Amino acid sequence: MRRPARLGDEVYSAIFERIMSLEIEPGARISVDAISRQLGVSQTPIREALGRLESEGLVVKTHLIGYSAAPQLNARQFADLYELRLLLEPFAARKCAQSMPDAVIDQLEALCAEMDSLTQSEGPQSYAQFARLDMAFHDQIAASAGNALAVEALSRLYTHVHLYRLLPSGVARSALDEHGQLIAAIKARDPDAAEAAMRQHIESSQHRFKAHYPG
Ligand SMILES: [Zn+2]
């Protein structure tokens, strides 16, 4: 018999993938009943998974209506998100070059290797996993910069769950090269290079996802 914690993770991942791949469209209602039937599990793990997804910005709970997938960013919100990222993340990268412990740099490299191996496979599962690893990569850098307010501001953007739903078709290999340059700069303990590499990565990322907003 499956342990309940494991079942909870499976239910969570199944719903996460459906939202990230737009099988559940942005803004669409999510029926606990329907998902319970689709996945063949009781409503309890589904409600738990939806609560977790709500805390990650991917699901919205509305009084009397219930759960729905978070709407996509409009052009203004997209621009604001990148403006704030450009203020905070290059700063965080700079601080990481100064103070990130070697063991944490190793963890970042492991995340990158995992992302790299995911580019070999296709489908909603690997796409969702790639988004999750990219999120973990940026969260780790923010956390290691040691400014709790910056971490909080960045976490409230729910950057990756929003961005990866804009273009749910294939991952960008160039992002991996940008991550590699960033890690190299942190490893070399070069704050200027780390700041520049992060700025470059965010600007390139904005350019990639901007394809969603023609005109
Ligand atoms: Zn990234």
Side-chain angles (χ1 to χ4, degrees):
M1 212 173 97
R2 272 205 216 113
R3 284 172 47 233
R6 176 114 180 84
L7 174 66
D9 283 345
E10 280 172 17
V11 168
Y12 163 84
S13 294
I15 303 173
F16 183 83
E17 279 158 27
R18 280 165 206 224
I19 299 177
M20 292 305 279
S21 66
L22 307 190
E23 192 186 320
I24 299 175
E25 287 175 27
R29 244 204 93 199
I30 300 174
S31 155
V32 173
D33 210 42
I35 296 204
S36 160
R37 272 181 279 116
Q38 281 167 24
L39 299 180
V41 297
S42 74
Q43 295 198 355
T44 308
I46 303 218
R47 288 184 192 286
E48 280 167 10
L50 289 171
R52 193 170 150 194
L53 290 161
E54 187 188 9
S55 75
E56 293 175 344
L58 208 46
V59 158
V60 182
K61 191 182 183 185
T62 315
H63 183 57
L64 298 178
I65 294 175
Y67 296 100
S68 47
Q72 259 174 350
L73 299 176
N74 62 36
R76 179 74 251 166
Q77 291 168 321
F78 177 82
D80 286 354
L81 178 136
Y82 273 99
E83 206 168 69
L84 193 57
R85 288 190 78 188
L86 279 169
L87 285 172
L88 297 177
E89 294 197 57
F91 150 81
R94 162 173 284 278
K95 290 195 75 178
C96 286
Q98 291 161 336
S99 62
M100 183 180 265
D102 290 341
V104 181
I105 299 178
D106 291 346
Q107 284 173 26
L108 285 184
E109 281 189 315
L111 280 176
C112 287
E114 216 180 317
M115 288 175 85
D116 198 66
S117 68
L118 275 173
T119 58
Q120 314 299 325
S121 43
E122 277 175 36
Q125 210 171 346
S126 46
Y127 187 73
Q129 181 62 8
F130 191 89
R132 181 164 289 291
L133 292 171
D134 196 11
M135 181 174 2
F137 181 86
H138 287 268
D139 283 354
Q140 181 61 259
I141 288 171
S144 299
N147 183 317
L149 292 178
V151 171
E152 198 186 323
L154 285 167
S155 77
R156 238 186 260 146
L157 299 177
Y158 304 122
T159 296
H160 294 83
V161 298
H162 285 313
L163 292 178
Y164 276 81
R165 285 189 305 152
L166 296 177
L167 298 174
S169 52
V171 299
R173 276 219 58 94
S174 42
L176 297 176
D177 298 336
E178 292 155 22
H179 284 183
Q181 280 174 15
L182 174 59
I183 292 183
I186 293 174
K187 246 182 153 166
R189 302 295 178 193
D190 185 338
D192 289 341
E195 182 177 336
M198 181 63 100
R199 176 165 296 112
Q200 177 65 49
H201 173 45
I202 295 174
E203 284 171 351
S204 303
S205 156
Q206 180 169 24
H207 191 74
R208 285 190 286 270
F209 285 111
K210 218 177 175 161
H212 176 79
Y213 300 99

